[in-house]
Amino acid sequence: ATAVDEPPMAEPSAPVVTADVEGEAGNVTAAVVSIDVGALLNRGGELAQAGLWLQSLRAFDSAAQAEPGNAKAHEQRAQVLLQIGRPLEAVQAAGTACTLRPEWGDGRRTLARAQLDHGEVALALSSFDAALGLLLDSGDADDARECADEAFSPPVAMSTLQPLMEPL
């Protein structure tokens, strides 16, 4: 099944939107709406794990719109955009995450993957290098090792460089 064939989004497992309404005789004079961004991020993650990419993207889009300064919402949105074949948008979303949290190695790693998928090899290698440094600085050796493997694994590197190696 493709992402287009996904069933309608099920109700989130946690309340996402709450509203306090004030008014007289049924007339609304003011409404305060609160969106639980954490619940949206959790729901988006659950949907992504189930392979429901478009529904997951909607959850991460909502989280990013509700809280534009939330780097995790933008980074997770970028990951889903990569899954559905939209690398330019993924570069933009991951770039926003990196701007919001420049010291976050995982965000930089997602940016590198997006750049690689978009064909920006030199930028991707630079971003992988930055991610590796940030992950090592944070003491997260396992993530640093995964990042290095991802950046320099022969299948990824060769498939990315193949168009550059073809004769003119």
Side-chain angles (χ1 to χ4, degrees), residues 31-143:
V32 177
V33 177
S34 172
I35 298 175
D36 185 346
V37 173
L40 282 170
L41 292 174
N42 289 338
R43 185 64 179 157
E46 292 168 3
L47 292 164
Q49 286 181 344
L52 300 172
W53 303 116
L54 295 179
Q55 293 175 13
S56 176
L57 180 60
R58 284 194 293 272
F60 293 138
D61 280 343
S62 295
Q65 289 170 4
E67 196 175 303
N70 188 315
K72 186 171 185 170
H74 293 283
E75 187 271 340
Q76 290 184 332
R77 183 175 176 272
Q79 288 191 44
V80 172
L81 287 165
L82 286 172
Q83 288 293 325
I84 62 174
R86 292 164 52 185
L88 176 58
E89 291 173 79
V91 168
Q92 294 165 341
T96 299
C98 291
T99 299
L100 293 169
R101 280 185 62 192
E103 77 292 346
W104 188 27
D106 286 333
R108 190 71 55 182
R109 182 167 137 186
T110 298
L111 176 60
R113 289 179 45 236
Q115 290 167 328
L116 194 60
D117 279 11
H118 191 251
E120 300 170 355
V121 178
L123 288 174
L125 289 174
S126 176
S127 294
F128 272 124
D129 186 49
L132 185 57
L134 290 167
L135 292 167
L136 287 171
D137 287 347
S138 72
D140 197 340
D142 289 339
D143 270 354

